[in-house]
Amino acid sequence: MQSANMLLRRIVRCSGLPFAVQHGMKKDLFLFSRTLSLSHCLKQDKLEPSEKLDLDEWKKVMKSGLQEEVSETALEPKELSSLAAARETLEMWRLAGRAVPEHISEEQLKTFMECPSKSAKKKYLKYLHLKELHKKNDKRKMDEKRERRLEAQDQASKTDETKNCPFVCLWSRTMDQAYNWRAAQSMVFGQPLVFDMSYEKEMSLREVTNTVKQIVMSESSNRRSVDPFHIHFCNFKDDSLYHREFIKNYRDAWDKLLITVTEQCYTEIFPKEKLIYLTADSPNVMKTFDHDKIYIVGSLVDKSIKTGVSLARAKRLGLETAALPLEKYLLWSTGAKNLTLDQMMHILLTLKDTADWKKALEFVPKRKYCGFVNKPVKELKKTLDLINTLKLRKGQEKVDKQFAKNYPKKYKLKQK
């Protein structure tokens, strides 16, 4: 035991344990070292000089372990200092006006520090900035959408309240009854208006749906007019594309419509001398609206504008054709002279009620014409011809000047 105590005194006097105490070594390491030394001393009764060498090696091992622990603890503040420096640089770049994100995580900051060059760092920060902007825009759009939905719900609740009002319900019911009464009278006494439903093969499914939508709008405007037409759907086949689309739009009201639907052709129902096929390709211009005639409108919506389809059909059947006098009353600017079916219905209803072409042609889209013609057509043609001749003269003068400049000798010979 005395030899063990002496050994412990020597260990305490050595530089290993004071070094550990100086660098904040833990108590567990002291206990571990003490147990090692005691066990080592208790195993042997006598001490030899070789044992001192073993203790020296043990001290070296202990010192190396302490140094590793100290280096590991020293790394943490270094990393923290580098992250703080990176944040400071980001703040400086933000103040300088560069594209820097407002909020950045520690992982993104570490990837920013790992970038090999300054340009790579700039690109990474720009990417994070754009990502943040996209997130903000998405959030703003979602908030606006939510606000719009809430406003729509409020308006719907208000409209429901107005609909539930007994006076409004009574008014709408009586007006519907009045419109239906007029449509029923038109079926007996009204002027017929034919929709030719034989163009299903000439159109795609999308064009058929557009056609049916336009016919539905035409029927509703006709039903609400003062003196409605008696509408005929001729060449109409059951279970066709037209039929399916009409059922989609009208649903249960399809069987209650006050119109005539037939598979027969209009030439079999009405006399040919009374029929006039309205088509934009006709060379004959319609001058006045005739109340004794029966006008035919082709149920065709053609996006590619195939010219002459309805005109060819009318010629095959030997029918009279007519086109609206668009050039006579309108200064046409751009686009084809084809109109939609609901626009045609509005024009025909206005002509039937007022016989005024200017009022009727107000339903033509304003993007297609510059204005109405105030002067007669002959005077306009004269002014247009005069403008064209002046333009040609100016162009000829320019050509002569250029020719004289390039070939002066030939120009002199030409003048002689």
Side-chain angles (χ1 to χ4, degrees), residues 85-196:
R87 285 189 187 280
E88 284 179 4
T89 53
L90 287 175
E91 194 64 33
M92 287 170 64
W93 285 7
R94 189 182 289 109
L95 291 169
R98 291 182 183 177
V100 179
E102 291 180 4
H103 305 288
I104 189 165
S105 63
E106 287 187 2
E107 292 180 1
Q108 291 172 349
L109 205 62
K110 284 178 183 177
T111 52
F112 166 72
M113 289 162 62
E114 288 171 2
C115 289
S117 61
K118 194 175 180 180
S119 62
K121 288 179 180 179
K122 285 181 182 177
K123 285 178 183 177
Y124 181 67
L125 287 175
K126 192 177 180 181
Y127 160 71
L128 291 176
H129 178 66
L130 290 171
K131 193 177 178 183
E132 196 174 47
L133 285 175
H134 284 306
K135 281 184 179 178
K136 283 182 180 178
N137 286 329
D138 291 339
K139 191 178 179 183
R140 181 178 55 79
K141 285 177 183 176
M142 288 294 288
D143 293 338
E144 288 177 357
K145 195 175 180 181
R146 196 181 295 109
E147 287 176 1
R148 284 198 298 269
R149 190 170 63 249
L150 290 169
E151 286 177 1
Q153 285 175 0
D154 293 337
Q155 287 179 357
S157 62
K158 287 178 183 177
T159 51
D160 289 336
E161 287 175 2
T162 55
K163 280 180 183 177
N164 293 327
C165 179
F167 178 73
V168 174
C169 292
L170 182 64
W171 174 260
S172 61
R173 200 181 298 118
T174 51
M175 289 305 295
D176 283 336
Q177 287 175 359
Y179 294 146
N180 290 332
W181 178 249
R182 284 179 191 170
Q185 279 185 328
S186 71
M187 290 186 77
V188 181
F189 305 106
Q191 183 180 358
L193 179 69
V194 178
F195 281 94
D196 188 0

Side-chain angles (χ1 to χ4, degrees), residues 14-45:
C14 289
S15 60
L17 290 172
F19 180 81
V21 173
Q22 232 175 5
H23 289 82
M25 192 173 175
K26 296 177 182 178
K27 291 178 182 178
D28 299 336
L29 193 58
F30 286 106
L31 293 168
F32 181 68
S33 62
R34 189 175 178 183
T35 52
L36 277 172
S37 60
L38 284 168
S39 63
H40 183 71
C41 295
L42 288 168
K43 278 179 187 178
Q44 296 178 353
D45 294 330

